[in-house]
mmCIF file of all heavy atoms in Angstrom:
data_model
loop_
_atom_site.group_PDB
_atom_site.id
_atom_site.type_symbol
_atom_site.label_atom_id
_atom_site.label_comp_id
_atom_site.label_asym_id
_atom_site.label_seq_id
_atom_site.Cartn_x
_atom_site.Cartn_y
_atom_site.Cartn_z
ATOM 1 N N CYS A 1 12.585 18.433 0.804
ATOM 2 C CA CYS A 1 12.619 19.844 1.240
ATOM 3 C C CYS A 1 14.034 20.410 1.448
ATOM 4 O O CYS A 1 14.391 21.497 1.121
ATOM 5 C CB CYS A 1 11.792 20.088 2.484
ATOM 6 S SG CYS A 1 9.939 19.870 2.256
ATOM 7 N N ALA A 2 14.841 19.505 2.081
ATOM 8 C CA ALA A 2 16.247 19.871 2.342
ATOM 9 C C ALA A 2 17.014 20.123 0.938
ATOM 10 O O ALA A 2 17.797 21.065 0.857
ATOM 11 C CB ALA A 2 16.924 18.771 3.037
ATOM 12 N N ARG A 3 16.712 19.325 0.036
ATOM 13 C CA ARG A 3 17.384 19.544 -1.272
ATOM 14 C C ARG A 3 16.827 20.791 -1.990
ATOM 15 O O ARG A 3 17.650 21.502 -2.634
ATOM 16 C CB ARG A 3 16.945 18.260 -2.193
ATOM 17 C CG ARG A 3 17.709 17.038 -1.850
ATOM 18 C CD ARG A 3 16.959 15.793 -2.333
ATOM 19 N NE ARG A 3 16.751 15.783 -3.700
ATOM 20 C CZ ARG A 3 15.853 14.863 -4.279
ATOM 21 N NH1 ARG A 3 15.233 14.008 -3.569
ATOM 22 N NH2 ARG A 3 15.637 14.892 -5.583
ATOM 23 N N ALA A 4 15.546 21.126 -1.866
ATOM 24 C CA ALA A 4 15.087 22.395 -2.414
ATOM 25 C C ALA A 4 15.856 23.570 -1.664
ATOM 26 O O ALA A 4 16.179 24.541 -2.408
ATOM 27 C CB ALA A 4 13.568 22.479 -2.183
ATOM 28 N N GLN A 5 15.967 23.519 -0.398
ATOM 29 C CA GLN A 5 16.653 24.637 0.244
ATOM 30 C C GLN A 5 18.185 24.714 -0.071
ATOM 31 O O GLN A 5 18.649 25.823 -0.152
ATOM 32 C CB GLN A 5 16.379 24.487 1.752
ATOM 33 C CG GLN A 5 14.870 24.704 2.158
ATOM 34 C CD GLN A 5 14.602 24.376 3.557
ATOM 35 O OE1 GLN A 5 14.671 25.157 4.468
ATOM 36 N NE2 GLN A 5 14.290 23.119 3.841
ATOM 37 N N ALA A 6 18.717 23.588 -0.257
ATOM 38 C CA ALA A 6 20.111 23.549 -0.732
ATOM 39 C C ALA A 6 20.366 24.110 -2.020
ATOM 40 O O ALA A 6 21.376 24.678 -2.374
ATOM 41 C CB ALA A 6 20.702 22.144 -0.715
ATOM 42 N N ALA A 7 19.239 24.156 -2.920
ATOM 43 C CA ALA A 7 19.266 24.742 -4.252
ATOM 44 C C ALA A 7 18.951 26.167 -4.231
ATOM 45 O O ALA A 7 18.906 26.812 -5.293
ATOM 46 C CB ALA A 7 18.272 23.991 -5.158
ATOM 47 N N GLY A 8 18.679 26.737 -3.024
ATOM 48 C CA GLY A 8 18.498 28.180 -2.865
ATOM 49 C C GLY A 8 17.001 28.584 -2.777
ATOM 50 O O GLY A 8 16.706 29.759 -2.744
ATOM 51 N N ALA A 9 16.079 27.626 -2.707
ATOM 52 C CA ALA A 9 14.655 27.874 -2.618
ATOM 53 C C ALA A 9 14.263 27.897 -1.122
ATOM 54 O O ALA A 9 15.087 27.767 -0.218
ATOM 55 C CB ALA A 9 13.840 26.893 -3.397
ATOM 56 N N SER A 10 12.973 27.983 -0.872
ATOM 57 C CA SER A 10 12.470 28.047 0.517
ATOM 58 C C SER A 10 11.211 27.234 0.562
ATOM 59 O O SER A 10 10.463 26.992 -0.385
ATOM 60 C CB SER A 10 12.178 29.450 0.932
ATOM 61 O OG SER A 10 11.244 30.142 0.084
ATOM 62 N N CYS A 11 10.961 26.681 1.768
ATOM 63 C CA CYS A 11 9.713 25.952 2.158
ATOM 64 C C CYS A 11 8.970 26.804 3.175
ATOM 65 O O CYS A 11 9.547 27.384 4.100
ATOM 66 C CB CYS A 11 10.082 24.644 2.734
ATOM 67 S SG CYS A 11 11.118 23.609 1.659
ATOM 68 N N TRP A 12 7.599 26.840 3.086
ATOM 69 C CA TRP A 12 6.824 27.733 3.899
ATOM 70 C C TRP A 12 5.631 27.019 4.540
ATOM 71 O O TRP A 12 4.992 26.141 3.872
ATOM 72 C CB TRP A 12 6.310 28.908 3.078
ATOM 73 C CG TRP A 12 7.422 29.980 2.793
ATOM 74 C CD1 TRP A 12 8.408 29.914 1.900
ATOM 75 C CD2 TRP A 12 7.562 31.214 3.593
ATOM 76 N NE1 TRP A 12 9.170 31.011 2.014
ATOM 77 C CE2 TRP A 12 8.756 31.818 2.992
ATOM 78 C CE3 TRP A 12 6.871 31.830 4.600
ATOM 79 C CZ2 TRP A 12 9.198 33.041 3.477
ATOM 80 C CZ3 TRP A 12 7.353 32.970 5.080
ATOM 81 C CH2 TRP A 12 8.492 33.587 4.516
ATOM 82 N N TRP A 13 5.308 27.518 5.746
ATOM 83 C CA TRP A 13 4.074 27.099 6.407
ATOM 84 C C TRP A 13 3.056 28.235 6.145
ATOM 85 O O TRP A 13 3.398 29.430 6.294
ATOM 86 C CB TRP A 13 4.392 27.028 7.941
ATOM 87 C CG TRP A 13 3.339 27.421 8.913
ATOM 88 C CD1 TRP A 13 3.068 28.693 9.415
ATOM 89 C CD2 TRP A 13 2.387 26.567 9.521
ATOM 90 N NE1 TRP A 13 1.991 28.605 10.279
ATOM 91 C CE2 TRP A 13 1.584 27.303 10.406
ATOM 92 C CE3 TRP A 13 2.237 25.159 9.465
ATOM 93 C CZ2 TRP A 13 0.647 26.745 11.173
ATOM 94 C CZ3 TRP A 13 1.260 24.663 10.279
ATOM 95 C CH2 TRP A 13 0.388 25.392 11.168
ATOM 96 N N VAL A 14 1.879 27.819 5.654
ATOM 97 C CA VAL A 14 0.843 28.810 5.288
ATOM 98 C C VAL A 14 -0.359 28.593 6.114
ATOM 99 O O VAL A 14 -1.230 27.751 5.754
ATOM 100 C CB VAL A 14 0.546 28.698 3.737
ATOM 101 C CG1 VAL A 14 -0.393 29.813 3.353
ATOM 102 C CG2 VAL A 14 1.799 28.777 2.869
ATOM 103 N N PRO A 15 -0.584 29.233 7.202
ATOM 104 C CA PRO A 15 -1.679 28.912 8.123
ATOM 105 C C PRO A 15 -3.074 29.349 7.696
ATOM 106 O O PRO A 15 -4.029 28.865 8.188
ATOM 107 C CB PRO A 15 -1.321 29.736 9.400
ATOM 108 C CG PRO A 15 -0.458 30.853 8.909
ATOM 109 C CD PRO A 15 0.330 30.293 7.698
ATOM 110 N N THR A 16 -3.203 30.105 6.580
ATOM 111 C CA THR A 16 -4.458 30.395 6.070
ATOM 112 C C THR A 16 -5.020 29.211 5.258
ATOM 113 O O THR A 16 -6.247 29.173 4.965
ATOM 114 C CB THR A 16 -4.475 31.668 5.184
ATOM 115 O OG1 THR A 16 -3.465 31.502 4.110
ATOM 116 C CG2 THR A 16 -4.097 32.907 5.995
ATOM 117 N N ALA A 17 -4.183 28.313 4.901
ATOM 118 C CA ALA A 17 -4.608 26.989 4.207
ATOM 119 C C ALA A 17 -4.772 25.986 5.300
ATOM 120 O O ALA A 17 -3.913 25.847 6.170
ATOM 121 C CB ALA A 17 -3.548 26.592 3.197
ATOM 122 N N LEU A 18 -5.943 25.305 5.159
ATOM 123 C CA LEU A 18 -6.313 24.339 6.247
ATOM 124 C C LEU A 18 -6.511 22.949 5.836
ATOM 125 O O LEU A 18 -7.156 22.784 4.719
ATOM 126 C CB LEU A 18 -7.606 24.831 7.013
ATOM 127 C CG LEU A 18 -7.485 26.220 7.672
ATOM 128 C CD1 LEU A 18 -8.891 26.587 8.281
ATOM 129 C CD2 LEU A 18 -6.374 26.212 8.774
ATOM 130 N N ALA A 19 -6.057 21.996 6.516
ATOM 131 C CA ALA A 19 -6.237 20.587 6.165
ATOM 132 C C ALA A 19 -6.545 19.763 7.564
ATOM 133 O O ALA A 19 -6.232 20.304 8.570
ATOM 134 C CB ALA A 19 -5.034 19.946 5.488
ATOM 135 N N HIS A 20 -6.933 18.561 7.336
ATOM 136 C CA HIS A 20 -7.227 17.641 8.484
ATOM 137 C C HIS A 20 -6.610 16.295 8.147
ATOM 138 O O HIS A 20 -6.648 15.817 7.014
ATOM 139 C CB HIS A 20 -8.716 17.545 8.739
ATOM 140 C CG HIS A 20 -9.422 18.908 8.782
ATOM 141 N ND1 HIS A 20 -9.642 19.542 9.985
ATOM 142 C CD2 HIS A 20 -9.927 19.693 7.762
ATOM 143 C CE1 HIS A 20 -10.264 20.663 9.692
ATOM 144 N NE2 HIS A 20 -10.468 20.799 8.351
ATOM 145 N N HIS A 21 -6.037 15.667 9.228
ATOM 146 C CA HIS A 21 -5.353 14.413 9.030
ATOM 147 C C HIS A 21 -5.761 13.407 10.082
ATOM 148 O O HIS A 21 -5.824 13.676 11.280
ATOM 149 C CB HIS A 21 -3.794 14.607 9.134
ATOM 150 C CG HIS A 21 -2.976 13.525 8.751
ATOM 151 N ND1 HIS A 21 -1.703 13.247 9.224
ATOM 152 C CD2 HIS A 21 -3.252 12.452 7.844
ATOM 153 C CE1 HIS A 21 -1.278 12.115 8.705
ATOM 154 N NE2 HIS A 21 -2.158 11.659 7.832
ATOM 155 N N ALA A 22 -6.127 12.140 9.628
ATOM 156 C CA ALA A 22 -6.550 11.173 10.543
ATOM 157 C C ALA A 22 -5.378 10.284 11.136
ATOM 158 O O ALA A 22 -5.649 9.573 12.062
ATOM 159 C CB ALA A 22 -7.506 10.233 9.835
ATOM 160 N N GLY A 23 -4.213 10.491 10.664
ATOM 161 C CA GLY A 23 -3.064 9.687 11.090
ATOM 162 C C GLY A 23 -2.737 8.715 10.056
ATOM 163 O O GLY A 23 -3.360 8.540 8.984
ATOM 164 N N SER A 24 -1.649 7.907 10.313
ATOM 165 C CA SER A 24 -1.093 7.026 9.253
ATOM 166 C C SER A 24 -1.895 5.772 9.172
ATOM 167 O O SER A 24 -1.793 4.848 10.012
ATOM 168 C CB SER A 24 0.375 6.665 9.704
ATOM 169 O OG SER A 24 0.880 5.725 8.730
ATOM 170 N N LEU A 25 -2.701 5.708 8.209
ATOM 171 C CA LEU A 25 -3.537 4.430 7.955
ATOM 172 C C LEU A 25 -2.660 3.275 7.573
ATOM 173 O O LEU A 25 -2.946 2.113 7.956
ATOM 174 C CB LEU A 25 -4.552 4.682 6.802
ATOM 175 C CG LEU A 25 -5.612 5.725 7.113
ATOM 176 C CD1 LEU A 25 -6.541 5.786 5.819
ATOM 177 C CD2 LEU A 25 -6.505 5.274 8.269
ATOM 178 N N THR A 26 -1.565 3.566 6.839
ATOM 179 C CA THR A 26 -0.734 2.429 6.445
ATOM 180 C C THR A 26 -0.236 1.627 7.602
ATOM 181 O O THR A 26 -0.284 0.422 7.650
ATOM 182 C CB THR A 26 0.532 3.047 5.723
ATOM 183 O OG1 THR A 26 0.089 3.669 4.535
ATOM 184 C CG2 THR A 26 1.526 1.890 5.300
ATOM 185 N N PHE A 27 0.173 2.358 8.754
ATOM 186 C CA PHE A 27 0.679 1.547 9.827
ATOM 187 C C PHE A 27 -0.421 1.188 10.786
ATOM 188 O O PHE A 27 -0.377 0.009 11.367
ATOM 189 C CB PHE A 27 1.660 2.453 10.629
ATOM 190 C CG PHE A 27 2.889 2.776 9.767
ATOM 191 C CD1 PHE A 27 3.060 4.000 9.284
ATOM 192 C CD2 PHE A 27 3.847 1.813 9.484
ATOM 193 C CE1 PHE A 27 4.205 4.323 8.540
ATOM 194 C CE2 PHE A 27 4.966 2.150 8.717
ATOM 195 C CZ PHE A 27 5.149 3.413 8.232
ATOM 196 N N LYS A 28 -1.425 1.969 10.994
ATOM 197 C CA LYS A 28 -2.514 1.557 11.933
ATOM 198 C C LYS A 28 -3.308 0.389 11.436
ATOM 199 O O LYS A 28 -3.564 -0.549 12.223
ATOM 200 C CB LYS A 28 -3.483 2.806 12.091
ATOM 201 C CG LYS A 28 -2.910 3.898 12.925
ATOM 202 C CD LYS A 28 -3.917 5.015 13.060
ATOM 203 C CE LYS A 28 -3.444 6.154 13.875
ATOM 204 N NZ LYS A 28 -4.342 7.297 14.021
ATOM 205 N N ARG A 29 -3.613 0.317 10.188
ATOM 206 C CA ARG A 29 -4.468 -0.793 9.739
ATOM 207 C C ARG A 29 -3.623 -2.035 9.421
ATOM 208 O O ARG A 29 -4.163 -3.143 9.499
ATOM 209 C CB ARG A 29 -5.190 -0.374 8.416
ATOM 210 C CG ARG A 29 -6.235 0.719 8.708
ATOM 211 C CD ARG A 29 -6.952 1.028 7.451
ATOM 212 N NE ARG A 29 -8.029 1.952 7.737
ATOM 213 C CZ ARG A 29 -8.824 2.538 6.860
ATOM 214 N NH1 ARG A 29 -8.570 2.364 5.596
ATOM 215 N NH2 ARG A 29 -9.732 3.445 7.147
ATOM 216 N N GLY A 30 -2.356 -1.851 9.129
ATOM 217 C CA GLY A 30 -1.541 -3.089 8.800
ATOM 218 C C GLY A 30 -0.891 -3.618 10.013
ATOM 219 O O GLY A 30 -0.261 -4.708 9.907
ATOM 220 N N GLY A 31 -1.004 -3.017 11.239
ATOM 221 C CA GLY A 31 -0.357 -3.532 12.357
ATOM 222 C C GLY A 31 1.159 -3.470 12.174
ATOM 223 O O GLY A 31 1.876 -4.459 12.573
ATOM 224 N N LEU A 32 1.611 -2.458 11.586
ATOM 225 C CA LEU A 32 3.010 -2.486 11.068
ATOM 226 C C LEU A 32 3.970 -1.571 12.045
ATOM 227 O O LEU A 32 4.706 -0.735 11.478
ATOM 228 C CB LEU A 32 3.185 -1.909 9.652
ATOM 229 C CG LEU A 32 2.280 -2.708 8.614
ATOM 230 C CD1 LEU A 32 2.364 -2.046 7.266
ATOM 231 C CD2 LEU A 32 2.804 -4.197 8.557
ATOM 232 N N SER A 33 3.837 -1.767 13.297
ATOM 233 C CA SER A 33 4.666 -0.902 14.167
ATOM 234 C C SER A 33 6.150 -1.186 13.973
ATOM 235 O O SER A 33 6.926 -0.287 14.023
ATOM 236 C CB SER A 33 4.244 -1.174 15.620
ATOM 237 O OG SER A 33 4.457 -2.523 15.988
ATOM 238 N N ARG A 34 6.477 -2.474 13.684
ATOM 239 C CA ARG A 34 7.874 -2.808 13.477
ATOM 240 C C ARG A 34 8.377 -2.053 12.207
ATOM 241 O O ARG A 34 9.460 -1.598 12.243
ATOM 242 C CB ARG A 34 8.058 -4.288 13.328
ATOM 243 C CG ARG A 34 9.493 -4.737 13.071
ATOM 244 C CD ARG A 34 9.672 -6.176 12.703
ATOM 245 N NE ARG A 34 9.344 -7.061 13.842
ATOM 246 C CZ ARG A 34 9.552 -8.386 13.789
ATOM 247 N NH1 ARG A 34 10.154 -8.908 12.688
ATOM 248 N NH2 ARG A 34 9.302 -9.158 14.875
#
């Protein structure tokens, strides 16, 4: 995103679009806190 903005574009938050997230499975299931 930083590279896109450095190129003159923009990044946007669109609250009419909705999603749901359970959290990071990669770290939770693998015990990968380190």
Side-chain angles (χ1 to χ4, degrees):
C1 291
R3 286 156 56 192
Q5 292 172 91
S10 57
C11 304
W12 283 79
W13 147 274
V14 185
T16 56
L18 301 176
H20 308 269
H21 190 207
S24 178
L25 293 178
T26 298
F27 296 109
K28 287 181 179 179
R29 291 185 177 172
L32 302 176
S33 60
R34 181 190 293 189

